[in-house]
């Protein structure tokens, strides 16, 4: 009487996925270089607020591609190695203070921090000790001269996520 449609059709794109991810990996160093190009090492904390250049959709898309790549590797349970991860992390940290009102960028930074919190503990240590991330967050948060913005809320969220994750690990391993 009626035609029965199949529940699902064969996924012809899936076999190409492995090749695509390895091809994608070739471009990751270039993507990172584009993201951090003008946000390399900061001279001092006062210099960080001088840049008024907008972040732009181009860099936001590159950050999204980088996070997508990391998510795909995690989904496949692959170890991921991010070239120049310390330079990337310090540049993203510098960018967070410059673009402190950009919710889209700050949410991507939050996701990046959650990734390194779990999978790249040495990089989190680098950010905390060498880049003084927590001190800089607290200084920014407590600075009365800065109007409250999106970053203020995210600072609380980021620090809470880091603390909670490591507290749970302590409980598990006791």
């Amino acid at each position: 009487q009626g035609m029965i449609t199949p529940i699902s059709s064969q996924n012809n794109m899936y076999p190409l996925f492995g090749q695509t991810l390895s091809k994608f990996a070739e471009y990751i160093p270039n993507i990172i270089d584009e993201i951090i190009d003008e946000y390399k090492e900061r001279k001092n904390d006062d210099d960080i607020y001088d840049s008024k250049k907008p972040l732009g959709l181009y860099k936001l898309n590159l950050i999204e591609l980088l996070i997508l790549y990391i998510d795909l590797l995690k989904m496949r349970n692959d170890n991921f190695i991010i070239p120049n991860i310390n330079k990337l992390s310090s540049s993203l940290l510098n960018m967070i203070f410059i673009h402190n009102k950009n919710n889209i960028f700050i949410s991507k930074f939050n996701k990046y921090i959650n990734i390194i919190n779990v999978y790249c503990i040495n990089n989190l240590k680098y950010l905390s000790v060498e880049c003084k991330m927590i001190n800089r967050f607290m200084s920014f948060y407590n600075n009365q001269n800065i109007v409250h913005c999106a970053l203020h809320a995210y600072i609380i969220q980021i620090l809470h996520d880091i603390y909670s994750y490591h507290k749970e690990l302590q409980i598990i391993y006791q």
Side-chain angles (χ1 to χ4, degrees):
Q1 275 64 8
M3 191 168 139
I4 299 175
T5 59
I7 294 174
S8 65
S9 61
Q10 180 179 357
N11 186 345
N12 294 322
M13 299 302 286
Y14 184 75
L16 301 174
F17 180 70
Q19 297 168 4
T20 304
L21 198 55
S22 63
K23 190 70 172 168
F24 194 11
E26 294 175 22
Y27 292 98
I28 293 300
N30 295 341
I31 289 172
I32 290 172
D33 288 343
E34 284 292 312
I35 292 169
I36 66 176
D37 180 41
E38 61 198 69
Y39 299 98
K40 302 231 169 60
E41 296 302 315
R42 64 182 168 78
K43 294 176 185 128
N44 61 48
D45 279 338
D46 295 331
D47 291 344
I48 211 116
Y49 304 109
D50 288 343
S51 175
K52 301 294 182 206
K53 185 175 180 185
L55 185 60
L57 191 56
Y58 176 69
K59 286 201 192 270
L60 286 172
N61 285 335
L62 290 175
I63 294 166
E64 183 65 30
L65 279 174
L66 178 65
I67 291 174
L68 173 66
Y69 171 72
I70 294 169
D71 282 342
L72 290 172
L73 287 177
K74 287 187 332 188
M75 186 173 70
R76 289 183 47 175
N77 291 323
D78 285 353
N79 289 331
F80 62 89
I81 297 172
I82 301 172
N84 299 330
I85 190 166
N86 287 345
K87 192 184 291 185
L88 171 66
S89 296
S90 67
S91 295
L92 288 174
L93 183 62
N94 290 336
M95 291 168 68
I96 202 82
F97 294 106
I98 295 168
H99 305 290
N100 56 32
K101 295 178 181 97
N102 189 326
N103 269 320
I104 296 170
F105 171 66
I106 299 171
S107 69
K108 292 178 189 320
F109 178 81
N110 185 31
K111 188 169 185 176
Y112 177 78
I113 291 293
N114 286 332
I115 290 168
I116 67 168
N117 186 28
V118 176
Y119 298 100
C120 302
I121 194 71
N122 289 336
N123 186 251
L124 182 62
K125 181 179 176 183
Y126 169 80
L127 271 174
S128 299
V129 175
E130 300 295 322
C131 298
K132 299 180 171 117
M133 177 178 73
I134 295 170
N135 293 344
R136 291 175 69 192
F137 277 168
M138 296 312 296
S139 174
F140 180 87
Y141 190 85
N142 292 322
N143 188 339
Q144 298 297 323
N145 296 325
I146 299 173
V147 177
H148 278 261
C149 59
L151 182 55
H152 284 87
Y154 274 97
I155 285 172
I156 294 170
Q157 183 64 49
I158 289 167
L159 294 177
H160 177 265
D161 290 347
I162 292 170
Y163 174 79
S164 297
Y165 177 76
H166 292 282
K167 191 70 173 169
E168 287 174 20
L169 284 179
Q170 266 184 338
I171 292 169
I172 291 170
Y173 290 115
Q174 282 183 356

